[in-house]
Amino acid sequence: MSDEKLQYRLLTGKDDKNFCERVSQALKDGYELYGSPSITYNQALCCNIVAQAVILPKK
């Protein structure tokens, strides 16, 4: 697998500290938020699922 960063990533997961840490790490790695976050409720898991797109700015 290449170490090259993807231009676009969609981060998803349970709405918890772990998800926030993943988004924070992406920002530290040079990504920028792209659009608004999304949230939905997963009845099977009994929790909120969130998504946030991030992009690498063009050089």
Side-chain angles (χ1 to χ4, degrees), residues 22-39:
R22 289 175 50 221
V23 172
S24 295
Q25 186 60 53
L27 297 174
K28 287 179 188 176
D29 290 344
Y31 285 89
E32 295 179 355
L33 300 177
Y34 183 77
S36 299
S38 296
I39 188 166

Side-chain angles (χ1 to χ4, degrees), residues 5-39:
K5 291 182 184 178
L6 298 172
Q7 290 294 113
Y8 172 89
R9 292 174 58 196
L10 180 62
L11 305 172
T12 61
K14 290 182 181 180
D15 186 13
D16 59 11
K17 181 180 177 181
N18 182 278
F19 179 78
C20 294
E21 289 172 346
R22 289 175 50 221
V23 172
S24 295
Q25 186 60 53
L27 297 174
K28 287 179 188 176
D29 290 344
Y31 285 89
E32 295 179 355
L33 300 177
Y34 183 77
S36 299
S38 296
I39 188 166

Side-chain angles (χ1 to χ4, degrees), residues 28-51:
K28 287 179 188 176
D29 290 344
Y31 285 89
E32 295 179 355
L33 300 177
Y34 183 77
S36 299
S38 296
I39 188 166
T40 189
Y41 183 75
N42 183 314
Q43 192 168 5
L45 298 176
C46 297
C47 66
N48 289 326
I49 302 295
V50 289

